[in-house]
Amino acid sequence: MPPCAAWRALLSVPRLYLGVAYRISSRGYLNDALLSIELIDQPLRIMYISAAVILGLVYILLLFMVLPLYSRIKKLDKPYLEAARDLGDNKLQTFIRIIVPLTMPSIIAGSLLVLLPAMGVFYVVGLLRGVQ
């Protein structure tokens, strides 16, 4: 990743937070959609609950899991997949026997890239919220 792209990615994180906050607010896209199809009569209070924190974390941290996996899957050797197909493996067997073992380092790296910031965010939220 070029240095300017890395800075741009870091500077876009606050916009991601604000985007999530607006989408799930009482006047956000989610409530507008539910009101327009008449599933609800009044806007839901989605902000400031645990589910909103989890939804925001998934939205923001999913990128950190997808990028290592994508880069590794893109570099997979096609002869392995062709050999599995020639030997009679179906798509599920190829996925379990070939793709998962070859991408395991990326799965572990992506899991750590997601787990550590998520734990930190939950810790900070608990500190800022205080004892209830």
Side-chain angles (χ1 to χ4, degrees), residues 16 41 71 78 94 98 116 131:
L16 291 175
D41 296 332
S71 68
K78 302 294 183 214
T94 302
I98 306 295
L116 297 175
V131 179

Side-chain angles (χ1 to χ4, degrees), residues 49-60 122:
I49 61 173
S50 297
V53 173
I54 291 170
L55 178 70
L57 284 176
V58 167
Y59 177 76
I60 292 166
F122 268 112

Side-chain angles (χ1 to χ4, degrees), residues 30-93:
L30 181 62
N31 272 318
D32 286 346
L34 292 175
L35 286 169
S36 67
I37 59 175
E38 298 179 359
L39 276 178
I40 57 175
D41 296 332
Q42 56 186 354
L44 295 175
R45 182 176 160 87
I46 302 172
M47 289 285 289
Y48 312 116
I49 61 173
S50 297
V53 173
I54 291 170
L55 178 70
L57 284 176
V58 167
Y59 177 76
I60 292 166
L61 296 175
L62 183 65
L63 178 68
F64 294 112
M65 185 68 188
V66 170
L67 286 178
L69 280 175
Y70 174 75
S71 68
R72 182 62 187 140
I73 289 173
K74 190 175 179 182
K75 294 177 185 176
L76 278 179
D77 291 330
K78 302 294 183 214
Y80 290 131
L81 303 176
E82 291 172 6
R85 194 173 306 128
D86 290 343
L87 292 172
D89 281 355
N90 60 25
K91 290 181 180 182
L92 180 64
Q93 290 171 330

